[in-house]
Amino acid sequence: MILKTYIFIIFTALFLHWETSETKSQGNIGRASLPPRGWNSYDSFCWTITEEEFLQNAELVAQRLKPHGYEYVVVDFLWYRKKTIGAYTDSYGFDVFDEWGRMVPDPGRWPSSQGGKGFSEVAGKVHSMGLKFGIHVMRGLSLQAFNANTLILDTTMGKAYEEAGRQWRAQDIGIKERTCAWMKNGFMSVNTKLGAGRAFLRSLYQQYADWGVDFVKLDCVFGDDLDLDEIIVVSEVLNELSRPIIYSLSPGTNAKPIIAKEVSGLVNMYRVTGDDWDTWEDVSAHFNVARDFIAANLVGVKGLKGKSWPDLDMLPLGWLTEAELCSPLGQNKEENPARNIILRFGAGSNDGPHRYCRLNLDEQRTQVTLWSMVRSPLIFGGDMRKLDDATFSLLTNPTLLEINWFSSNNMEFHYVTGSFSSSRKHSLSNHTEDKEKINVLETRVLALRSCKDVKANGWSTKVLDNNVEKVCWEENSKRKAPFCLNKREALSASEGEMIYQHQNLGRLHLLVTERTELCFGASSNRKLTANEISRGSFSRCRSHANQMWENYNGTLMNSYSGLCAIMNFVRASSGGIRSWLATGRRGEIYLAFFNLNNQVTKMSAKISDITNAIHATSSKCSGTEVWSGTNLGAIKDSISMSVNAHGCALFVLNCT
């Protein structure tokens, strides 16, 4: 018995050394050579986290999660906002910035930043823990810096940027008509065609590198908020810096593979959904997205000085804050429930309420299993100071972490069947649409797509008898009337509002009717969660690029994102079954069953279908199921297991 124990200890030590060595060698290949893992403050603190709270969490990440590959600790948005009455996610006038218009940490919450030190001391402490330090940043230039008309720093000369015999300022480069659609008092795009615009972006990221930043999460530049120019320029700047910085994009509302292909080589990870919170609807919304990005071969492809990974968003597990408090407020009470919470708890407090994750254990297992099978970055969002054993077990499950980093041939597996107590079966190959059991809803919405997509070419112009012009989407179905919007020239800027008038020639406002003053905007004016359908919105007509369109060659291009509108049919299903398959680095096969139904479902798959999918010739298999610990023994023809509602089963198979 003593000898067996000794042999087991030696074997375990050798295995851990082998895994650690391989991880290190993988890490030397380039940036994000493996899906990044870490912790982010957003889900548990919203924007109000302090230096003390952040470092407490970082210490616990170093102690408990770092041995399992979690190495990044990231301060999420508004670290530069003063925490005071009246300050919230889209308030104006509370941000701290330097003489060059660059955001700096609020010294009230980040006392070590005083004296112009920025995050350098915090980054140093994080590095001393063996971790890497990250920050969240918004697109371009802040509205406050724009209104202050700050000078622009030329980092190559160490003084104000000069060109054409003059110094350049914020109002020379800021594009006020392109403020972030869901944060109208926050940040705007900069004109990257100008040398001064590029110099400003260079000064931002040079400062982050000087602080010791290792990870940057750039927000409001992807998905429906696409700003390809800024993504490209920032990538070029990071490529030139001597300090390696992981480049992440967020959020990915309405992101599609055809758009992702334009940015994947420029970055290291990019969000492919809206914000993921602890609701089953948000979790289940990721299955189709995951399928599409895997099928497009975008996982682990070449990225910025390394690799690039589609990101399913943070894991909202453990101790969390309320989702509504982290969303910039809509324009009226009905648009965002955060207003009601702020009225109850006080504007600018943003200190609660807090609660444990609302997903049950089966749903949490489904989430972490899907994230691992897709090889998404694993970024934990809960407060480390209240990390419970069940959450820790999920985050550090060795099988999931092995799949997440080292699996290959990852795919959605279609040859799985499921049956309820009635014994009637349905197959995933036809999307499990048993209409008696699964509620399928089809909705027609205006969606954004890459203008390179052939489906974007479906608009035509019609002139009515009263000389009113309409732009219409032609339906293939004779049963549906064309969807039409009235056209008129885009409004000029209101007095005191900066706009590039020459850029608006030929641009249109689209209205519901000829007389209305409600114009169609492409992107939502609030942050969307993962399960919400992006469909644009009608609001008071203004000179924002989100409401400006260009109509030519059958397309309708939005001036805010450069994406084109299409009429799309969205099918939302409240149930079904899914399955994923992957192979391991030691020859093992990973098979996951996912039950999206609201009741227990018996799911089955044939061994022959599994081995055919991965082009293996083996027919004799044995294995175990991870969550139940069940030893399956020798498997004859098929694998079957009853899976709880919203739950999953994860099999590790060895076939000879």
Side-chain angles (χ1 to χ4, degrees):
M1 182 66 183
I2 295 174
L3 179 61
K4 287 182 178 179
T5 302
Y6 178 74
I7 292 173
F8 175 77
I9 292 171
I10 294 294
F11 174 79
T12 302
L14 288 172
F15 175 78
L16 289 174
H17 173 73
W18 173 39
E19 179 135 322
T20 302
S21 299
E22 182 157 350
T23 301
K24 287 181 178 178
S25 66
Q26 287 272 350
N28 290 332
I29 294 174
R31 300 178 195 176
S33 59
L34 298 167
R37 294 178 191 161
W39 177 85
N40 181 291
S41 63
Y42 185 77
D43 287 351
S44 47
F45 291 93
C46 190
W47 65 273
T48 63
I49 190 168
T50 65
E51 181 173 332
E52 180 182 15
E53 291 166 334
F54 179 79
L55 291 174
Q56 288 172 349
N57 274 269
E59 287 175 359
L60 291 168
V61 171
Q63 294 168 14
R64 306 196 65 186
L65 297 184
K66 183 177 179 291
H68 304 278
Y70 293 80
E71 63 175 338
Y72 294 96
V73 287
V74 182
V75 182
D76 213 275
F77 80 151
L78 304 183
W79 37 265
Y80 36 82
R81 184 150 297 175
K82 296 176 183 177
K83 184 182 175 184
T84 186
I85 297 299
Y88 57 94
T89 49
D90 195 25
S91 56
Y92 175 81
F94 298 93
D95 294 347
V96 185
F97 55 95
D98 66 14
E99 69 271 27
W100 307 109
R102 302 176 299 180
M103 298 295 105
V104 294
D106 166 30
R109 290 190 288 139
W110 303 89
S112 71
S113 68
Q114 296 181 45
K117 290 181 288 187
F119 274 125
S120 56
E121 287 198 11
V122 171
K125 290 178 180 178
V126 167
H127 295 154
S128 70
M129 301 173 194
L131 300 174
K132 295 181 179 178
F133 176 65
I135 60 173
H136 169 287
V137 297
M138 291 293 295
R139 67 155 64 193
L141 174 73
S142 83
L143 181 59
Q144 272 188 243
F146 175 88
N147 288 338
N149 205 18
T150 55
L151 288 167
I152 296 166
L153 175 64
D154 184 343
T155 56
T156 61
M157 303 298 293
K159 63 178 185 178
Y161 183 85
E162 295 183 8
E163 186 181 350
R166 70 178 180 92
Q167 293 182 333
W168 289 63
R169 293 180 174 271
Q171 291 182 9
D172 295 319
I173 64 168
I175 307 177
K176 197 173 181 181
E177 66 189 71
R178 292 187 63 195
T179 54
C180 181
W182 44 265
M183 198 177 187
K184 59 186 176 62
N185 290 317
F187 292 76
M188 66 187 73
S189 293
V190 298
N191 190 339
T192 58
K193 302 294 189 295
L194 298 173
R198 296 191 297 274
F200 176 73
L201 293 177
R202 190 180 306 113
S203 74
L204 293 180
Y205 290 86
Q206 181 62 63
Q207 176 162 265
Y208 305 151
D210 293 342
W211 287 345
V213 169
D214 308 292
F215 182 109
V216 167
K217 175 182 174 182
L218 176 57
D219 208 339
C220 201
V221 293
F222 190 52
D224 282 353
D225 304 296
L226 184 67
D227 189 338
L228 189 57
D229 289 339
E230 180 161 338
I231 293 172
I232 291 171
V233 171
V234 171
S235 183
E236 292 170 349
V237 170
L238 293 177
N239 187 56
E240 295 170 357
L241 293 177
S242 58
R243 183 175 191 83
I245 296 177
I246 296 295
Y247 186 15
S248 170
L249 304 181
S250 174
T253 308
N254 203 32
K256 302 296 178 187
I258 193 170
I259 301 174
K261 287 179 179 179
E262 296 188 50
V263 306
S264 62
L266 303 169
V267 302
N268 301 114
M269 53 187 277
Y270 53 94
R271 281 268 300 282
V272 292
T273 67
D275 284 357
D276 176 63
W277 281 96
D278 53 328
T279 69
W280 172 246
E281 291 75 19
D282 278 359
V283 174
S284 60
H286 287 79
F287 280 90
N288 288 346
V289 175
R291 173 203 62 202
D292 293 345
F293 278 84
I294 282 282
N297 296 315
L298 283 166
V299 177
V301 299
K302 186 178 184 300
L304 174 62
K305 288 193 171 181
K307 291 188 177 181
S308 176
W309 307 91
D311 176 16
L312 297 185
D313 200 9
M314 290 173 283
L315 295 167
L317 308 175
W319 188 250
L320 308 170
T321 189
E322 288 292 346
E324 291 86 354
L325 285 174
C326 294
S327 298
L329 306 183
Q331 294 179 356
N332 56 57
K333 293 180 181 178
E334 289 73 27
E335 287 178 346
N336 199 314
R339 290 186 181 275
N340 296 327
I341 294 179
I342 285 178
L343 287 174
R344 293 205 319 266
F345 289 88
S349 67
N350 291 284
D351 282 331
H354 293 87
R355 71 301 190 289
Y356 278 108
C357 175
R358 293 193 179 105
L359 298 173
N360 63 39
L361 184 57
D362 285 313
E363 293 167 340
Q364 292 180 45
R365 286 173 172 172
T366 291
Q367 180 166 37
V368 293
T369 302
L370 178 64
W371 265 236
S372 297
M373 292 295 285
V374 179
R375 303 194 71 195
S376 169
L378 298 180
I379 309 296
F380 175 48
D383 190 336
M384 287 293 300
R385 300 170 303 176
K386 291 195 174 227
L387 180 61
D388 57 284
D389 291 342
T391 302
F392 178 74
S393 179
L394 287 173
L395 295 172
T396 60
N397 182 281
T399 303
L400 292 182
L401 297 185
E402 174 73 19
I403 294 169
N404 178 249
W405 265 4
F406 300 115
S407 62
S408 57
N409 300 310
N410 307 68
M411 68 184 82
E412 187 177 59
F413 177 62
H414 297 284
Y415 301 97
V416 61
T417 59
S419 61
F420 304 131
S421 57
S422 64
S423 298
R424 292 182 59 190
K425 295 184 177 181
H426 52 282
S427 170
L428 182 65
S429 59
N430 63 6
H431 304 293
T432 70
E433 290 170 7
D434 186 332
K435 293 185 179 179
E436 294 182 15
K437 302 180 179 69
I438 301 171
N439 180 28
V440 177
L441 178 66
E442 185 173 82
T443 306
R444 186 170 73 161
V445 299
L446 274 171
L448 295 177
R449 295 289 184 271
S450 168
C451 294
K452 297 177 182 178
D453 191 330
V454 293
K455 295 179 182 178
N457 193 336
W459 296 92
S460 62
T461 299
K462 299 181 182 296
V463 181
L464 306 184
D465 293 338
N466 55 358
N467 290 324
V468 172
E469 283 191 80
K470 290 179 176 284
V471 57
C472 301
W473 178 264
E474 298 294 341
E475 299 284 356
N476 292 327
S477 173
K478 294 181 180 179
R479 293 177 299 169
K480 294 183 182 291
F483 174 82
C484 297
L485 292 167
N486 286 272
K487 294 168 56 174
R488 77 174 183 196
E489 289 187 16
L491 294 174
S492 299
S494 59
E495 185 177 353
E497 186 177 35
M498 185 245 184
I499 196 168
Y500 292 99
Q501 294 286 359
H502 65 279
Q503 293 184 3
N504 294 320
L505 296 176
R507 294 187 179 183
L508 310 167
H509 269 150
L510 302 178
L511 302 89
V512 184
T513 66
E514 179 184 355
R515 294 184 177 87
T516 187
E517 285 302 318
L518 295 179
C519 289
F520 181 68
S523 299
S524 174
N525 57 16
R526 64 178 178 85
K527 253 191 166 184
L528 300 180
T529 60
N531 77 88
E532 292 182 284
I533 298 172
S534 176
R535 64 184 74 201
S537 60
F538 288 92
S539 57
R540 179 180 59 83
C541 297
R542 56 196 183 103
S543 55
H544 195 285
N546 190 39
Q547 290 184 342
M548 295 182 186
W549 302 84
E550 295 179 54
N551 180 213
Y552 61 93
N553 294 331
T555 64
L556 194 60
M557 186 181 76
N558 181 247
S559 300
Y560 171 65
S561 64
L563 299 174
C564 283
I566 67 167
M567 186 62 69
N568 195 31
F569 286 93
V570 178
R571 308 188 74 187
S573 172
S574 61
I577 57 174
R578 298 292 181 95
S579 182
W580 278 72
L581 194 63
T583 55
R585 54 178 169 165
R586 303 177 189 90
E588 69 273 28
I589 298 172
Y590 300 107
L591 173 68
F593 287 167
F594 297 101
N595 178 19
L596 277 59
N597 295 309
N598 293 325
Q599 58 184 297
V600 175
T601 303
K602 185 176 182 180
M603 298 179 64
S604 303
K606 295 179 180 178
I607 292 296
S608 58
D609 289 334
I610 295 170
T611 54
N612 286 339
I614 59 173
H615 306 293
T617 57
S618 307
S619 59
K620 296 181 179 179
C621 299
S622 62
T624 58
E625 197 284 314
V626 172
W627 300 120
S628 65
T630 302
N631 186 340
L632 304 177
I635 305 167
K636 293 183 179 180
D637 300 316
S638 63
I639 298 175
S640 296
M641 181 165 282
S642 291
V643 182
N644 289 340
H646 301 174
C648 70
L650 177 60
F651 304 97
V652 182
L653 307 177
N654 292 288
C655 300
T656 59

